[in-house]
Coordinates of all heavy atoms in Angstrom, one line a residue:
M658 N -3.3 18.6 13.3 CA -2.4 18.9 12.2 C -3.2 19.6 11.1 O -4.2 19.1 10.7 CB -1.8 17.6 11.7 CG -0.5 17.8 11.0 SD 0.3 16.2 10.5 CE 0.7 15.6 12.1
K659 N -2.7 20.7 10.6 CA -3.5 21.5 9.7 C -3.0 21.3 8.3 O -2.9 22.2 7.5 CB -3.4 22.9 10.1 CG -4.0 23.2 11.4 CD -5.5 23.0 11.4 CE -6.1 23.4 12.7 NZ -7.5 23.1 12.8
L660 N -2.6 20.1 7.9 CA -2.2 19.8 6.5 C -3.3 20.2 5.5 O -3.0 20.5 4.4 CB -1.8 18.4 6.3 CG -0.6 17.9 7.1 CD1 -0.4 16.4 6.9 CD2 0.7 18.6 6.7
S661 N -4.5 20.1 6.0 CA -5.6 20.3 5.1 C -5.7 21.8 4.6 O -6.3 22.1 3.6 CB -7.0 20.0 5.8 OG -7.1 20.7 6.9
N662 N -5.1 22.7 5.3 CA -5.0 24.1 4.9 C -3.8 24.4 4.1 O -3.6 25.6 3.7 CB -5.1 25.0 6.1 CG -6.4 24.9 6.8 OD1 -7.4 24.7 6.2 ND2 -6.4 25.0 8.1
G663 N -2.9 23.5 3.9 CA -1.6 23.7 3.2 C -0.6 24.0 4.3 O -0.9 24.4 5.4
V664 N 0.7 23.9 3.9 CA 1.8 24.1 4.9 C 3.0 24.6 4.1 O 3.1 24.4 2.9 CB 2.2 22.8 5.6 CG1 2.6 21.7 4.6 CG2 3.2 23.0 6.7
F665 N 3.8 25.4 4.7 CA 5.0 26.0 4.0 C 6.1 24.9 3.9 O 6.5 24.3 4.8 CB 5.5 27.2 4.7 CG 4.7 28.4 4.4 CD1 3.7 28.8 5.2 CD2 5.0 29.2 3.2 CE1 2.9 29.9 4.9 CE2 4.2 30.3 2.9 CZ 3.2 30.7 3.8
V666 N 6.5 24.6 2.6 CA 7.5 23.7 2.3 C 8.5 24.4 1.4 O 8.1 24.9 0.3 CB 6.9 22.4 1.6 CG1 8.0 21.5 1.1 CG2 6.0 21.6 2.6
D667 N 9.7 24.4 1.7 CA 10.8 25.0 0.9 C 10.4 26.5 0.6 O 10.6 26.9 -0.6 CB 11.1 24.2 -0.4 CG 11.6 22.9 -0.1 OD1 12.3 22.7 1.0 OD2 11.4 21.9 -0.9
G668 N 9.8 27.2 1.5 CA 9.5 28.6 1.3 C 8.2 28.9 0.6 O 7.8 30.0 0.4
K669 N 7.5 27.8 0.1 CA 6.2 28.0 -0.6 C 5.1 27.2 0.1 O 5.3 26.1 0.6 CB 6.3 27.5 -2.1 CG 7.3 28.3 -2.9 CD 7.3 27.8 -4.3 CE 8.2 28.5 -5.2 NZ 8.2 28.0 -6.6
K670 N 3.9 27.8 0.1 CA 2.8 27.1 0.7 C 2.2 26.1 -0.3 O 2.0 26.4 -1.4 CB 1.7 28.1 1.1 CG 0.6 27.5 2.0 CD -0.3 28.5 2.6 CE -1.3 27.8 3.5 NZ -2.2 28.8 4.0
T671 N 2.0 24.9 0.2 CA 1.4 23.8 -0.6 C -0.1 24.1 -0.7 O -0.7 24.9 0.0 CB 1.5 22.5 0.1 OG1 0.8 22.4 1.3 CG2 3.0 22.1 0.3
S672 N -0.7 23.5 -1.7 CA -2.2 23.6 -1.9 C -2.8 22.8 -0.7 O -2.2 22.0 0.0 CB -2.6 22.9 -3.2 OG -2.0 23.6 -4.3
K673 N -4.1 23.0 -0.6 CA -4.9 22.3 0.5 C -4.8 20.8 0.2 O -4.8 20.4 -1.0 CB -6.3 22.8 0.5 CG -6.5 24.2 1.0 CD -7.9 24.7 1.0 CE -8.0 26.1 1.5 NZ -9.4 26.5 1.6
A674 N -4.8 20.0 1.2 CA -4.8 18.6 1.1 C -5.9 18.0 1.9 O -6.4 18.5 2.8 CB -3.4 18.1 1.7
H675 N -6.4 16.8 1.4 CA -7.4 16.1 2.1 C -6.7 15.0 3.0 O -5.9 14.2 2.5 CB -8.3 15.4 1.1 CG -9.4 14.5 1.8 ND1 -10.4 15.0 2.4 CD2 -9.4 13.2 1.9 CE1 -11.2 14.1 3.0 NE2 -10.6 12.9 2.7
V676 N -7.0 15.1 4.3 CA -6.3 14.2 5.2 C -7.3 13.3 5.9 O -8.3 13.8 6.4 CB -5.5 15.0 6.3 CG1 -4.8 14.1 7.2 CG2 -4.6 16.0 5.6
K677 N -7.0 12.0 6.0 CA -7.9 11.1 6.7 C -7.0 10.1 7.5 O -6.2 9.4 6.9 CB -8.7 10.3 5.7 CG -9.7 9.3 6.3 CD -10.6 8.7 5.3 CE -11.6 7.7 5.9 NZ -12.4 7.1 4.9
V678 N -7.2 10.0 8.8 CA -6.4 9.1 9.6 C -7.2 7.8 9.5 O -8.3 7.7 9.9 CB -6.3 9.6 11.1 CG1 -5.6 8.5 11.9 CG2 -5.6 10.9 11.1
K679 N -6.5 6.8 9.0 CA -7.1 5.4 8.8 C -7.0 4.5 10.0 O -7.8 3.7 10.3 CB -6.5 4.7 7.6 CG -6.5 5.5 6.3 CD -7.9 5.5 5.7 CE -8.0 4.3 4.8 NZ -9.2 4.3 4.0
K680 N -5.8 4.7 10.7 CA -5.6 3.8 11.8 C -4.6 4.5 12.7 O -3.7 5.2 12.3 CB -5.0 2.5 11.4 CG -4.8 1.5 12.4 CD -4.4 0.1 11.9 CE -3.1 0.0 11.2 NZ -2.7 -1.3 10.8
Y681 N -4.8 4.4 14.1 CA -3.8 4.9 15.0 C -3.5 3.8 16.1 O -4.4 3.2 16.6 CB -4.4 6.1 15.7 CG -3.5 6.6 16.8 CD1 -2.3 7.2 16.5 CD2 -3.8 6.5 18.2 CE1 -1.4 7.7 17.5 CE2 -3.0 7.0 19.2 CZ -1.8 7.6 18.9 OH -1.0 8.0 19.8
D682 N -2.2 3.6 16.3 CA -1.8 2.6 17.3 C -1.2 3.4 18.5 O -0.1 4.0 18.4 CB -0.7 1.7 16.7 CG -0.3 0.6 17.6 OD1 -0.3 0.7 18.8 OD2 0.2 -0.5 17.1
K683 N -1.9 3.3 19.6 CA -1.5 4.1 20.8 C -0.2 3.5 21.3 O 0.7 4.3 21.8 CB -2.6 3.9 21.9 CG -3.8 4.8 21.7 CD -4.7 4.7 22.9 CE -6.0 5.5 22.6 NZ -6.9 5.5 23.8
K684 N 0.0 2.2 21.3 CA 1.2 1.6 21.9 C 2.5 2.1 21.2 O 3.4 2.5 21.8 CB 1.1 0.1 21.8 CG 2.2 -0.6 22.5 CD 2.0 -2.1 22.5 CE 3.2 -2.8 23.2 NZ 3.0 -4.3 23.2
S685 N 2.5 2.0 19.8 CA 3.7 2.5 19.1 C 3.6 3.9 18.7 O 4.6 4.5 18.2 CB 3.8 1.6 17.8 OG 2.7 1.8 17.0
Q686 N 2.5 4.6 19.0 CA 2.2 6.0 18.6 C 2.5 6.2 17.1 O 3.2 7.1 16.7 CB 3.1 6.9 19.5 CG 2.6 6.9 20.9 CD 3.3 8.0 21.7 OE1 4.1 8.8 21.2 NE2 2.9 8.1 23.0
T687 N 2.0 5.3 16.3 CA 2.1 5.4 14.8 C 0.7 5.5 14.2 O -0.3 5.0 14.8 CB 2.8 4.3 14.2 OG1 2.2 3.0 14.5 CG2 4.3 4.2 14.7
S688 N 0.6 6.1 13.1 CA -0.7 6.2 12.4 C -0.5 5.8 10.9 O 0.5 5.9 10.3 CB -1.1 7.7 12.4 OG -1.3 8.1 13.7
V689 N -1.7 5.4 10.4 CA -1.8 5.2 8.9 C -2.7 6.4 8.4 O -3.8 6.5 8.9 CB -2.4 3.9 8.6 CG1 -2.6 3.8 7.1 CG2 -1.5 2.7 9.1
V690 N -2.2 7.2 7.5 CA -2.9 8.4 7.1 C -3.0 8.3 5.6 O -2.1 8.0 4.9 CB -2.1 9.6 7.5 CG1 -2.8 10.9 7.0 CG2 -1.9 9.7 9.0
E691 N -4.2 8.7 5.1 CA -4.4 8.8 3.7 C -4.4 10.3 3.4 O -5.2 11.1 4.0 CB -5.8 8.2 3.3 CG -6.1 8.3 1.8 CD -7.4 7.6 1.5 OE1 -7.5 6.4 1.6 OE2 -8.4 8.4 1.2
L692 N -3.5 10.7 2.5 CA -3.4 12.1 2.1 C -3.5 12.3 0.6 O -2.9 11.6 -0.2 CB -1.9 12.5 2.5 CG -1.6 14.0 2.3 CD1 -2.3 14.9 3.2 CD2 -0.1 14.2 2.4
T693 N -4.4 13.2 0.3 CA -4.7 13.5 -1.1 C -4.1 14.9 -1.4 O -4.6 15.8 -0.8 CB -6.2 13.4 -1.5 OG1 -6.7 12.1 -1.1 CG2 -6.4 13.7 -3.0
I694 N -3.2 15.0 -2.3 CA -2.6 16.2 -2.7 C -2.8 16.4 -4.2 O -3.1 15.5 -5.0 CB -1.1 16.4 -2.4 CG1 -0.3 15.3 -3.0 CG2 -0.9 16.3 -0.9 CD1 1.2 15.4 -2.8
H695 N -2.7 17.7 -4.7 CA -2.9 18.0 -6.1 C -1.7 18.6 -6.8 O -1.8 19.2 -7.8 CB -4.1 18.9 -6.2 CG -5.4 18.3 -5.6 ND1 -6.1 17.4 -6.3 CD2 -5.9 18.5 -4.4 CE1 -7.1 17.0 -5.5 NE2 -7.0 17.7 -4.4
E696 N -0.6 18.4 -6.2 CA 0.7 18.8 -6.8 C 1.7 17.8 -6.3 O 1.5 17.0 -5.4 CB 1.0 20.2 -6.3 CG 1.1 20.4 -4.8 CD 1.2 21.8 -4.3 OE1 1.4 22.7 -5.1 OE2 1.1 22.0 -3.1
G697 N 2.9 17.8 -6.9 CA 3.9 16.8 -6.5 C 5.3 17.4 -6.5 O 6.1 17.0 -7.3
R698 N 5.6 18.2 -5.5 CA 6.9 18.7 -5.4 C 7.8 17.6 -4.9 O 7.4 16.6 -4.3 CB 6.9 19.9 -4.4 CG 6.1 21.1 -4.8 CD 6.2 22.2 -3.9 NE 5.1 23.1 -3.9 CZ 4.8 24.0 -3.1 NH1 5.6 24.2 -2.0 NH2 3.8 24.8 -3.2
N699 N 9.1 17.9 -4.9 CA 10.1 16.9 -4.5 C 10.0 16.6 -3.0 O 10.1 17.4 -2.2 CB 11.5 17.5 -4.8 CG 12.6 16.4 -4.6 OD1 12.4 15.3 -4.9 ND2 13.8 16.9 -4.2
H700 N 9.7 15.3 -2.7 CA 9.5 14.8 -1.4 C 8.4 15.6 -0.6 O 8.6 15.8 0.6 CB 10.8 14.8 -0.6 CG 11.8 13.9 -1.2 ND1 11.8 12.5 -1.2 CD2 12.9 14.2 -2.0 CE1 12.8 12.0 -1.8 NE2 13.5 13.0 -2.3
Q701 N 7.4 16.1 -1.3 CA 6.5 17.0 -0.7 C 5.7 16.4 0.5 O 5.6 17.0 1.6 CB 5.4 17.4 -1.7 CG 4.3 18.3 -1.1 CD 3.4 18.8 -2.2 OE1 3.6 18.8 -3.4 NE2 2.2 19.2 -1.7
V702 N 5.3 15.1 0.4 CA 4.5 14.6 1.6 C 5.4 14.5 2.8 O 5.0 14.9 3.9 CB 3.9 13.2 1.2 CG1 3.3 12.5 2.4 CG2 2.9 13.3 0.1
K703 N 6.6 14.0 2.6 CA 7.5 13.9 3.8 C 7.8 15.2 4.4 O 7.8 15.4 5.6 CB 8.8 13.2 3.3 CG 8.7 11.8 3.0 CD 10.0 11.2 2.5 CE 9.9 9.8 2.1 NZ 11.1 9.2 1.6
K704 N 8.0 16.2 3.6 CA 8.3 17.6 4.1 C 7.0 18.2 4.7 O 7.2 19.0 5.7 CB 8.8 18.5 2.9 CG 10.1 18.1 2.4 CD 10.6 18.9 1.3 CE 11.9 18.6 0.8 NZ 12.3 19.4 -0.4
M705 N 5.8 17.9 4.2 CA 4.6 18.4 4.8 C 4.5 17.9 6.3 O 4.2 18.7 7.2 CB 3.4 18.0 4.0 CG 3.3 18.8 2.7 SD 1.9 18.2 1.7 CE 0.5 18.8 2.6
F706 N 4.7 16.6 6.5 CA 4.6 16.1 7.8 C 5.8 16.5 8.7 O 5.6 16.8 9.9 CB 4.6 14.5 7.8 CG 3.2 14.0 7.5 CD1 2.8 13.7 6.1 CD2 2.3 13.7 8.5 CE1 1.6 13.2 5.9 CE2 1.0 13.2 8.2 CZ 0.7 13.0 6.9
L707 N 7.0 16.6 8.1 CA 8.1 17.1 8.9 C 7.9 18.5 9.4 O 8.5 18.9 10.5 CB 9.4 17.0 8.0 CG 10.7 17.0 8.8 CD1 10.7 15.9 9.8 CD2 11.9 16.8 7.8
A708 N 7.2 19.3 8.7 CA 6.9 20.7 9.1 C 6.2 20.7 10.5 O 6.2 21.7 11.2 CB 6.0 21.4 8.1
Y709 N 5.5 19.6 10.8 CA 4.8 19.4 12.1 C 5.6 18.5 13.1 O 5.1 18.0 14.1 CB 3.4 18.9 11.9 CG 2.5 20.0 11.3 CD1 2.3 20.0 10.0 CD2 1.9 20.9 12.1 CE1 1.5 21.0 9.4 CE2 1.1 21.9 11.6 CZ 0.9 21.9 10.2 OH 0.1 22.9 9.7
G710 N 6.9 18.2 12.7 CA 7.7 17.3 13.5 C 7.4 15.8 13.4 O 7.8 15.1 14.3
V711 N 6.7 15.4 12.4 CA 6.3 14.0 12.2 C 7.1 13.4 11.1 O 7.1 13.9 10.0 CB 4.8 13.9 11.9 CG1 4.4 12.4 11.7 CG2 4.0 14.5 13.0
K712 N 7.8 12.3 11.4 CA 8.6 11.6 10.4 C 7.8 10.6 9.7 O 7.2 9.7 10.3 CB 9.9 11.0 11.0 CG 10.8 10.3 10.0 CD 12.0 9.7 10.7 CE 12.8 9.1 9.6 NZ 14.0 8.3 10.2
V713 N 7.8 10.6 8.4 CA 7.1 9.6 7.6 C 8.1 8.4 7.5 O 9.2 8.5 7.0 CB 6.8 10.1 6.2 CG1 6.2 9.0 5.3 CG2 5.8 11.2 6.3
T714 N 7.6 7.2 7.9 CA 8.5 6.0 7.8 C 8.2 5.1 6.7 O 9.0 4.2 6.3 CB 8.4 5.2 9.1 OG1 7.0 4.8 9.3 CG2 8.9 6.0 10.3
Y715 N 7.0 5.3 6.1 CA 6.6 4.4 4.9 C 5.6 5.3 4.1 O 4.7 5.9 4.6 CB 5.9 3.1 5.4 CG 5.4 2.3 4.3 CD1 6.3 1.5 3.5 CD2 4.1 2.2 3.9 CE1 5.9 0.7 2.5 CE2 3.7 1.4 2.9 CZ 4.6 0.6 2.2 OH 4.1 -0.2 1.2
L716 N 5.8 5.2 2.8 CA 5.0 6.0 1.9 C 4.6 5.2 0.7 O 5.5 4.5 0.1 CB 5.8 7.3 1.4 CG 5.1 8.3 0.6 CD1 3.9 8.9 1.4 CD2 6.1 9.4 0.2
K717 N 3.3 5.2 0.4 CA 2.9 4.3 -0.8 C 1.9 5.2 -1.6 O 0.9 5.6 -1.2 CB 2.1 3.1 -0.3 CG 1.6 2.2 -1.3 CD 0.9 1.0 -0.7 CE 0.4 0.0 -1.8 NZ -0.2 -1.1 -1.2
R718 N 2.3 5.4 -2.9 CA 1.5 6.2 -3.8 C 0.4 5.2 -4.3 O 0.8 4.2 -4.9 CB 2.3 6.7 -5.0 CG 1.5 7.6 -5.9 CD 2.3 8.0 -7.1 NE 3.5 8.7 -6.8 CZ 3.6 10.0 -6.8 NH1 2.6 10.7 -7.2 NH2 4.8 10.5 -6.6
I719 N -0.9 5.6 -4.2 CA -1.9 4.7 -4.6 C -2.6 5.2 -5.9 O -3.3 4.4 -6.5 CB -3.0 4.4 -3.5 CG1 -3.6 5.7 -3.1 CG2 -2.3 3.6 -2.4 CD1 -4.8 5.5 -2.1
S720 N -2.3 6.4 -6.3 CA -2.8 6.9 -7.5 C -2.0 8.1 -8.0 O -1.3 8.8 -7.3 CB -4.3 7.3 -7.4 OG -4.4 8.5 -6.6
F721 N -2.1 8.3 -9.3 CA -1.5 9.5 -10.0 C -2.4 9.9 -11.1 O -2.7 9.2 -12.0 CB -0.1 9.0 -10.6 CG 0.5 10.2 -11.4 CD1 1.2 11.1 -10.8 CD2 0.4 10.2 -12.8 CE1 1.8 12.2 -11.5 CE2 0.9 11.2 -13.5 CZ 1.7 12.2 -12.9
G722 N -3.1 11.0 -10.8 CA -4.1 11.5 -11.7 C -5.2 10.5 -11.9 O -5.8 10.0 -10.9
E723 N -5.5 10.1 -13.1 CA -6.5 9.1 -13.4 C -6.1 7.7 -13.1 O -6.9 6.7 -13.1 CB -6.9 9.2 -14.9 CG -7.3 10.5 -15.3 CD -8.7 11.0 -14.8 OE1 -9.5 10.1 -14.6 OE2 -8.8 12.2 -14.5
F724 N -4.8 7.4 -12.9 CA -4.3 6.1 -12.7 C -4.3 5.6 -11.3 O -3.9 6.4 -10.4 CB -2.8 6.0 -13.2 CG -2.7 6.4 -14.7 CD1 -2.5 7.7 -15.1 CD2 -2.9 5.4 -15.6 CE1 -2.4 8.0 -16.5 CE2 -2.8 5.7 -17.0 CZ -2.6 7.0 -17.4
K725 N -4.8 4.4 -11.1 CA -4.9 3.9 -9.7 C -4.0 2.6 -9.6 O -3.8 1.9 -10.6 CB -6.4 3.4 -9.4 CG -7.4 4.5 -9.6 CD -7.3 5.5 -8.6 CE -8.5 6.5 -8.8 NZ -8.1 7.9 -8.8
L726 N -3.4 2.4 -8.4 CA -2.6 1.2 -8.2 C -3.5 0.0 -8.4 O -4.5 -0.1 -7.8 CB -2.0 1.3 -6.8 CG -1.1 0.1 -6.4 CD1 0.1 0.1 -7.2 CD2 -0.8 0.2 -4.9
N727 N -3.0 -0.9 -9.1 CA -3.7 -2.2 -9.3 C -3.2 -3.2 -8.3 O -2.2 -3.8 -8.4 CB -3.4 -2.8 -10.7 CG -4.3 -3.9 -11.1 OD1 -4.8 -4.6 -10.2 ND2 -4.4 -4.2 -12.3
E728 N -4.0 -3.3 -7.2 CA -3.7 -4.2 -6.1 C -3.6 -5.6 -6.5 O -3.0 -6.4 -5.8 CB -4.7 -4.0 -5.0 CG -4.8 -2.6 -4.4 CD -3.6 -2.3 -3.5 OE1 -2.8 -3.2 -3.1 OE2 -3.5 -1.1 -3.1
G729 N -4.2 -6.1 -7.6 CA -4.1 -7.5 -7.9 C -2.9 -7.9 -8.6 O -2.7 -9.1 -8.9
M730 N -2.0 -7.0 -9.0 CA -0.8 -7.3 -9.7 C 0.3 -7.8 -8.7 O 0.4 -7.3 -7.6 CB -0.3 -6.2 -10.5 CG -1.2 -5.8 -11.6 SD -0.6 -4.5 -12.7 CE 0.7 -5.3 -13.5
V731 N 1.2 -8.7 -9.2 CA 2.3 -9.2 -8.4 C 3.4 -8.1 -8.5 O 3.6 -7.5 -9.5 CB 2.8 -10.5 -9.0 CG1 4.0 -11.0 -8.3 CG2 1.7 -11.6 -9.0
V732 N 4.1 -7.9 -7.4 CA 5.2 -7.0 -7.3 C 6.2 -7.3 -8.4 O 6.6 -8.4 -8.6 CB 5.9 -7.0 -5.9 CG1 7.1 -6.1 -5.9 CG2 4.9 -6.6 -4.8
G733 N 6.6 -6.3 -9.2 CA 7.6 -6.4 -10.2 C 7.0 -6.7 -11.6 O 7.6 -6.7 -12.6
S734 N 5.7 -7.0 -11.6 CA 5.0 -7.3 -12.9 C 4.6 -6.0 -13.5 O 4.6 -4.9 -12.9 CB 3.8 -8.2 -12.7 OG 2.8 -7.6 -11.9
Y735 N 4.1 -6.1 -14.8 CA 3.7 -4.9 -15.5 C 2.6 -5.3 -16.5 O 2.4 -6.5 -16.7 CB 4.8 -4.2 -16.2 CG 5.4 -5.0 -17.3 CD1 5.0 -4.8 -18.6 CD2 6.4 -5.9 -17.0 CE1 5.5 -5.6 -19.6 CE2 7.0 -6.7 -18.0 CZ 6.5 -6.5 -19.3 OH 7.1 -7.3 -20.3
R736 N 1.9 -4.3 -17.0 CA 1.0 -4.5 -18.1 C 1.0 -3.4 -19.1 O 1.5 -2.3 -18.7 CB -0.5 -4.7 -17.5 CG -1.0 -3.4 -16.9 CD -2.5 -3.5 -16.6 NE -3.0 -2.3 -16.0 CZ -3.3 -1.2 -16.7 NH1 -3.1 -1.1 -18.0 NH2 -3.8 -0.2 -16.0
A737 N 0.6 -3.6 -20.3 CA 0.5 -2.6 -21.3 C -0.6 -1.6 -20.9 O -1.6 -2.0 -20.4 CB 0.3 -3.2 -22.7
L738 N -0.3 -0.3 -21.3 CA -1.4 0.7 -21.1 C -2.4 0.5 -22.2 O -2.1 0.2 -23.3 CB -0.8 2.1 -21.2 CG 0.2 2.5 -20.1 CD1 0.8 3.9 -20.4 CD2 -0.4 2.5 -18.8
T739 N -3.6 0.8 -21.8 CA -4.7 0.8 -22.8 C -4.6 2.1 -23.6 O -3.9 3.1 -23.3 CB -6.1 0.8 -22.1 OG1 -6.3 2.0 -21.4 CG2 -6.2 -0.4 -21.1
E740 N -5.3 2.1 -24.7 CA -5.3 3.3 -25.6 C -5.9 4.5 -24.8 O -5.4 5.7 -25.0 CB -6.1 3.1 -26.9 CG -5.4 2.1 -27.8 CD -4.0 2.6 -28.2 OE1 -3.8 3.8 -28.5 OE2 -3.1 1.8 -28.2
A741 N -6.9 4.3 -24.0 CA -7.5 5.4 -23.2 C -6.5 5.9 -22.2 O -6.4 7.1 -22.0 CB -8.7 4.9 -22.5
E742 N -5.7 5.1 -21.6 CA -4.7 5.5 -20.6 C -3.6 6.3 -21.3 O -3.1 7.3 -20.8 CB -4.1 4.3 -19.9 CG -5.0 3.6 -18.9 CD -4.5 2.3 -18.4 OE1 -3.8 1.6 -19.1 OE2 -4.9 2.0 -17.3
K743 N -3.2 5.8 -22.5 CA -2.2 6.6 -23.3 C -2.7 8.0 -23.7 O -1.9 9.0 -23.6 CB -1.9 5.8 -24.6 CG -1.1 4.5 -24.4 CD -0.9 3.8 -25.7 CE -0.3 2.4 -25.5 NZ -0.1 1.7 -26.8
A744 N -4.0 8.1 -24.0 CA -4.5 9.4 -24.3 C -4.5 10.3 -23.1 O -4.2 11.5 -23.2 CB -6.0 9.2 -24.8
I745 N -4.8 9.8 -21.9 CA -4.7 10.6 -20.7 C -3.3 11.1 -20.5 O -3.1 12.2 -20.1 CB -5.2 9.7 -19.5 CG1 -6.7 9.4 -19.6 CG2 -4.9 10.4 -18.2 CD1 -7.2 8.4 -18.6
L746 N -2.3 10.2 -20.6 CA -0.9 10.6 -20.5 C -0.5 11.7 -21.4 O 0.2 12.7 -21.1 CB 0.0 9.4 -20.6 CG 0.1 8.5 -19.5 CD1 1.0 7.3 -19.8 CD2 0.6 9.2 -18.2
R747 N -1.1 11.6 -22.6 CA -0.8 12.7 -23.6 C -1.3 14.0 -23.2 O -0.7 15.1 -23.5 CB -1.3 12.3 -25.0 CG -0.6 11.2 -25.7 CD -1.1 11.0 -27.1 NE -0.6 9.7 -27.5 CZ -1.3 8.6 -27.6 NH1 -2.6 8.6 -27.2 NH2 -0.8 7.4 -27.9
T748 N -2.4 14.1 -22.5 CA -2.9 15.4 -22.0 C -2.0 16.0 -20.9 O -1.9 17.2 -20.8 CB -4.3 15.2 -21.4 OG1 -4.3 14.4 -20.2 CG2 -5.3 14.7 -22.4
Y749 N -1.3 15.1 -20.2 CA -0.3 15.6 -19.2 C 0.9 16.2 -19.9 O 1.6 17.1 -19.4 CB 0.2 14.5 -18.2 CG -0.9 14.1 -17.2 CD1 -1.4 12.8 -17.2 CD2 -1.3 15.0 -16.2 CE1 -2.4 12.5 -16.3 CE2 -2.3 14.6 -15.3 CZ -2.8 13.4 -15.3 OH -3.7 13.0 -14.4
L750 N 1.2 15.7 -21.0 CA 2.4 16.1 -21.8 C 2.2 17.3 -22.6 O 3.1 18.0 -23.0 CB 2.9 15.0 -22.7 CG 3.4 13.7 -21.9 CD1 3.7 12.6 -22.9 CD2 4.5 14.0 -21.0
G751 N 0.9 17.7 -22.8 CA 0.6 18.9 -23.6 C 0.5 18.7 -25.0 O 0.8 18.3 -25.9

């Protein structure tokens, strides 16, 4: 699969992506893939895989820019952003 070179989605080529297969199950013919992209079009990851005939059945965003998923938090919980995190968000807003 050449996702690493970009793929045409909705008539436009995506930027290059970093792809790493974390796990493959021969019996169920399923894989766990880590994909790093640098843009975020509407349903981009699903469409990138679908371009190769592969359906995404589960998708989990683990980071957004400088922000990383906090694995230690309980589902549904939240925390206040730090001042440093607020400053980072302001740079995205311009």
Side-chain angles (χ1 to χ4, degrees):
M658 200 174 297
K659 298 293 182 184
L660 295 175
S661 58
N662 294 325
V664 62
F665 281 93
V666 170
D667 297 332
K669 294 182 181 179
K670 191 171 183 181
T671 65
S672 297
K673 293 180 178 182
H675 176 75
V676 183
K677 182 177 182 182
V678 177
K679 304 286 271 184
K680 183 170 68 171
Y681 175 69
D682 184 331
K683 286 184 181 181
K684 186 175 181 180
S685 65
Q686 293 190 357
T687 58
S688 298
V689 174
V690 178
E691 182 178 290
L692 181 70
T693 303
I694 59 174
H695 301 281
E696 57 191 351
R698 299 184 203 168
N699 190 32
H700 299 285
Q701 179 177 339
V702 172
K703 292 178 183 179
K704 290 177 180 179
M705 288 173 74
F706 278 93
L707 199 55
Y709 289 96
V711 177
K712 183 179 178 186
V713 174
T714 57
Y715 178 76
L716 186 61
K717 181 178 181 179
R718 182 187 305 262
I719 58 171
S720 68
F721 174 81
E723 306 289 324
F724 298 94
K725 307 287 184 233
L726 179 67
N727 188 339
E728 295 287 351
M730 293 183 71
V731 177
V732 173
S734 66
Y735 65 94
R736 66 169 179 79
L738 294 174
T739 66
E740 290 303 318
E742 290 169 331
K743 290 177 187 177
I745 292 168
L746 282 177
R747 286 187 198 100
T748 64
Y749 288 116
L750 298 175

